Amino acid sequence: PSSAQTCPRTFGPVGPSFRPSLSVSYDQVWSVPARAPNGWTFAWSEGQDVHARRFDLNLNPLANPFLVNSTYNLEIQDEPAIGYSTTTANFLIAWSERYGYDGSGMGVMGRVYDVHGNPLGMEFVIPSITYASQWRPLIAPTPTGGWVVAWTGDDDGNSYFKILGSNGAPLSGDIPVNTYTYDAQVDPSAAVSPGGTIFVAFVDYSSHALPGTGLNLYGRTFDASGNPLQGQEYLLTTSATLGDQRDPRVAVDGQGRFFVVWSDQFGDGSGYGIFERVFDSTGAPLAPVFQVNTTTAGDQIRPVVVVDQVGRSLVTWEDYSLGAASSKIRARRFDEQLVPLGPDFVVNDIPASGVSMTNPAMDASGGDIMIGYMGPGDPGNGIDVRARRYESTARPQIYCTAKTNSLGCVPAHETLDPLGYKRI
């Protein structure tokens, strides 16, 4: 018998971008999607409060947007993050509050919801150490159903994380990531492997006594209880190169490989570029640093990476190759061997430029991808949050469209879309 045939994988947007929010008042900022068991959930900041909305798998809204910070609602509540439990389908929304509800400066708040969007209690302060300010939380699900929440705290900036259970109850205290505390060590991003190892990357402003190297990236791994696996943090790049390395984000695949992306000031020869390095489940590097972006003019900054179970990844970032007023959201895909699947491409269609703050999400199979961003809204509407969905699938190809009354079909012709992928 002849060998089985496989359908080629196709990739492309599933329609134009859309607005998760219903409001046209105020500014809507920080468009953050998360893959839910039965669809998608978005969080954003609107009118200085955090809102969220749930959609089914076809992006039909399951309800109107709801207010997350229903009690702590003075001043500014922003920088939301969202993550789903791996076992219960509860989801956690965390954010920065700027009123001082924790008693001192800014704070990091959280609230847990069930799979239907019902709150499981009120908002709560995540850090135990509330001296000075704590800000910009990021969430990483754990294999036991809880979350690791990482943030920056203290008056000069240190990196912390805390382990929470699936109901939001603390399973650890505030765990410091950095041992070197001179100047600032900030912007931690965490991921948790299937075996429970916690990998945290952060930016060091002190140069770690390496003068002239600018900002550098360091990392450290911890066991599932938060005990450090190294005596101190270690450099994530190949060497302490000149210029700044900043904006780290971490993701993990089903094999326990950690994917770290960042912005590098001089790496691509024209302003900031996007770079990546992959580490094994112990935090040891698997390969040298490599460049992600193919569009190199101007600055490319603030990357975020998402990875599926087998290691297929997508990196998104802000692109300023056409100038500050014409920013784009770009992305690039890689297979499980880190082989690029084409050059980088533009995500945003509406608005055509002036966009920022990209946040991608992906399902475990890598076939369903959502990319959030924000940018100018309609005239008079300020800033809007938007999102665009992409699909990577091995579905059968369609070569004709059926006519009515079973009268045959209208031929369709294969073409290449702007990304160079086959479209029918």
Side-chain angles (χ1 to χ4, degrees):
S2 61
S3 59
Q5 295 182 349
T6 59
C7 295
R9 295 191 70 87
T10 62
F11 175 79
V14 184
S17 62
F18 68 98
R19 297 179 64 245
S21 170
L22 286 176
S23 175
V24 295
S25 301
Y26 312 109
D27 286 337
Q28 292 86 46
V29 296
W30 299 89
S31 177
V32 185
R35 187 62 154 80
N38 58 349
W40 295 94
T41 300
F42 291 83
W44 66 89
S45 181
E46 174 183 312
Q48 301 184 350
D49 290 307
V50 176
H51 293 255
R53 195 181 191 191
R54 298 168 53 245
F55 296 79
D56 68 15
L57 289 173
N58 295 314
L59 293 183
N60 299 307
L62 296 173
N64 287 334
F66 57 89
L67 178 66
V68 177
N69 57 297
S70 58
T71 302
Y72 299 112
N73 52 19
L74 297 177
E75 298 269 339
I76 299 173
Q77 317 291 316
D78 65 356
E79 298 182 322
I82 183 171
Y84 267 83
S85 169
T86 57
T87 60
T88 66
N90 294 347
F91 62 95
L92 168 69
I93 298 178
W95 68 94
S96 299
E97 66 89 7
R98 300 172 187 264
Y99 180 72
Y101 282 114
D102 67 355
S104 178
M106 296 174 60
V108 170
M109 311 294 290
R111 196 172 191 184
V112 178
Y113 294 81
D114 69 16
V115 67
H116 303 295
N118 301 309
L120 301 178
M122 303 304 296
E123 310 96 298
F124 58 94
V125 178
I126 293 178
S128 302
I129 302 171
T130 58
Y131 169 72
S133 287
Q134 293 74 42
W135 65 94
R136 206 230 57 190
L138 292 176
I139 298 172
T142 68
T144 56
W147 302 276
V148 166
V149 182
W151 70 88
T152 304
D154 295 341
D155 52 356
D156 69 340
N158 287 295
S159 293
Y160 294 91
F161 71 88
K162 193 170 192 173
I163 306 170
L164 304 180
S166 60
N167 61 355
L171 301 180
S172 75
D174 298 354
I175 299 172
V177 179
N178 54 291
T179 62
Y180 195 87
T181 59
Y182 178 75
D183 210 338
Q185 290 74 38
V186 298
D187 296 340
S189 176
V192 187
S193 76
T197 300
I198 303 167
F199 184 107
V200 187
F202 63 92
V203 180
D204 172 56
Y205 275 71
S206 71
S207 297
H208 254 57
L210 300 170
T213 62
L215 311 185
N216 294 300
L217 299 181
Y218 282 80
R220 200 177 184 192
T221 59
F222 301 78
D223 68 18
S225 299
N227 300 304
L229 299 177
Q230 295 89 22
Q232 61 185 26
E233 60 268 39
Y234 57 94
L235 193 67
L236 296 182
T237 53
T238 306
S239 63
T241 56
L242 296 177
D244 293 341
Q245 291 79 47
R246 60 192 310 163
D247 308 323
R249 290 294 187 273
V250 185
V252 66
D253 68 7
Q255 305 172 60
R257 297 185 299 174
F258 296 103
F259 296 64
V260 184
V261 296
W262 66 88
S263 309
D264 188 289
Q265 187 175 11
F266 299 133
D268 70 357
S270 177
Y272 279 91
I274 307 302
F275 288 79
E276 182 172 355
R277 197 175 197 189
V278 180
F279 299 80
D280 68 16
S281 59
T282 70
L286 288 172
V289 174
F290 65 92
Q291 183 174 320
V292 174
N293 58 300
T294 57
T295 301
T296 59
D299 289 331
Q300 290 77 42
I301 61 173
R302 297 192 187 99
V304 185
V305 59
V306 288
V307 189
D308 71 6
Q309 284 294 307
V310 301
R312 293 181 290 247
S313 61
L314 175 110
V315 185
T316 65
W317 63 89
E318 297 173 26
D319 168 49
Y320 292 89
S321 59
L322 299 179
S326 300
S327 58
K328 308 280 188 182
I329 301 300
R330 286 187 176 270
R332 197 178 189 192
R333 301 166 61 237
F334 297 84
D335 70 11
E336 60 272 24
Q337 301 299 324
L338 298 177
V339 176
L341 300 174
D344 62 41
F345 58 91
V346 174
V347 172
N348 58 290
D349 55 345
I350 303 171
S353 61
V355 293
S356 62
M357 301 305 298
T358 172
N359 288 284
M362 178 189 288
D363 71 349
S365 72
D368 205 0
I369 299 165
M370 190 72 69
I371 303 176
Y373 61 93
M374 68 185 197
D378 296 333
N381 286 355
I383 299 173
D384 283 341
V385 289
R386 301 196 70 89
R388 197 171 192 189
R389 186 181 187 182
Y390 284 78
E391 188 178 69
S392 176
T393 180
R395 67 175 54 183
Q397 304 301 298
I398 300 172
Y399 292 97
C400 65
T401 303
K403 294 180 180 179
T404 59
N405 300 322
S406 302
L407 296 177
C409 63
V410 177
H413 300 282
E414 179 179 281
T415 61
L416 294 180
D417 71 7
L419 307 182
Y421 297 99
K422 289 182 179 180
R423 309 295 290 174
I424 302 299

